[in-house]
Amino acid sequence: MSSLADPVQFFLILWGAPGVIVAVAFLAFGIDRIDSAATGAYAFRPLLLPGLIILWPLVVWRWAVLAKNQGE
């Protein structure tokens, strides 16, 4: 018998999996290009993980816009 938690858990996994991938990629490659003050500041990056995982579509969109503007 299916409970209410099953769809919620499925949605969280469906949302969180790409979020983790985007967060790790952004912290490894993107944050230094986006914010010059973040260069070499590795102690605060784990603190950004929850927000990046939750807001990953906005992070991807903003990262793409800023990367496009830097290329011009």
Side-chain angles (χ1 to χ4, degrees):
M1 186 164 170
S2 169
S3 69
L4 181 62
D6 291 339
V8 172
Q9 182 181 10
F10 176 73
F11 175 75
L12 289 175
I13 291 171
L14 193 64
W15 187 268
V20 169
I21 294 168
V22 167
V24 170
F26 180 73
L27 290 178
F29 305 110
I31 197 165
D32 293 332
R33 295 178 186 160
I34 301 291
D35 186 9
S36 60
T39 303
Y42 298 107
F44 86 100
R45 292 182 185 203
L47 299 173
L48 298 176
L49 276 173
L52 291 171
I53 292 170
I54 292 170
L55 299 173
W56 70 266
L58 296 174
V59 173
V60 169
W61 172 71
R62 186 70 176 147
W63 191 6
V65 167
L66 290 175
K68 179 182 163 191
N69 289 343
Q70 286 181 352
E72 292 179 355

